[in-house]
Amino acid sequence: MAPTGLLMRLNSPGYKNWIKAGLCLQQLKSSLQEFLASEMMRFHRQLASRVPAIPGHRCQCRPTGKQFHPSCPVCAEWKKLILDHHTNRKGEIHWGNCNPSLWPTHYWEVAKVYMPRGYSEKKSPQVCDATALLNLINACDHFKGFNITKVREVIKCRNDLMHSSDMELSSSWLKDFGTTINNFISEFRHVPGLKEEGSKIKQVLHSDWTTESFCRYEVDGPVLMGDNEVLAEEFSLTLIYNTEKQLIQQLLEERYLQLEEDEALSEDDLDGVHKLKTVITDHEDLQEDMDRLELLLRKPNQQEASSLP
């Protein structure tokens, strides 16, 4: 059973909306994972057929962050092909996500070039979040047959979610988010399982998530809520609590990546971390993340101190 502290936090409509949006994105990714596995395998075969094999070839090429200068002809050819299909070839490309020596044999190492930073340890679509999968669709022209504007709109909503300094979202934002998700699902309606996930997403967006409903569910099992919707097992307090934890961890991870690359947090992001600390401090069930959060707050101060004469 999820901690009662979650019930207290869900009394805030804005915070409830923040978690709802995060749960919807999690629902979305489950259908996209198998679809993208199949599509990227096909894309990988197309690229591999254009790179001649070199008997006995051994590669020791290693990228660093956004820089990659191949030292072998195989990686040089793969880099060229990958760039030829990259919609942001003149912008930021996070080569450090992948191991180029595996490009000829591992399709997902190619896929990771089309993702934001921070996915070097993700070896398959099944362990990637919605951010990675959506950005893959956006950045790889293998998907140019789709209306990519609808993909970018979902990415923008996801960025709003992660950069909400107080971890709250308005009801009007959530309504627009629902429209954006529906537009995306309509565009990718042929993806197996996506229609069913769309129904679950609609249920999340229209559920009350009231304390009374959850308490009745935990005691009596599934119950009727507003508009005759049922609080089903998949939307129990336990799932919502796990979603909340994952969102907080993602938020912290993004701030760490930002520090690693930019050596400082923006004022808005630093303010958001301070507000997150307030939430965690007030709720014992969230305090396992306190050490990581404190480290995140100390790093900017250490950098500022080191710059003083």
Side-chain angles (χ1 to χ4, degrees), residues 243-283:
T243 298
E244 177 187 43
K245 296 286 289 181
Q246 290 171 22
L247 286 173
I248 290 174
Q249 289 166 8
Q250 287 175 21
L251 191 154
L252 291 173
E253 184 62 29
E254 289 209 1
R255 302 304 175 264
Y256 271 101
L257 289 170
Q258 183 181 340
L259 264 180
E260 183 179 293
E261 185 164 308
D262 302 333
E263 299 184 352
L265 293 176
S266 70
E267 289 187 12
D268 286 344
D269 286 337
L270 189 57
D271 180 56
V273 173
H274 280 290
K275 290 179 178 177
L276 175 58
K277 180 180 178 181
T278 300
V279 173
I280 290 178
T281 301
D282 291 342
H283 295 272

Side-chain angles (χ1 to χ4, degrees), residues 287-302:
Q287 290 184 9
E288 67 183 62
D289 293 308
M290 183 62 80
D291 289 344
R292 294 185 71 213
L293 191 147
E294 289 285 5
L295 181 60
L296 191 61
L297 288 172
R298 284 200 299 270
K299 283 188 175 183
N301 295 330
Q302 290 171 351

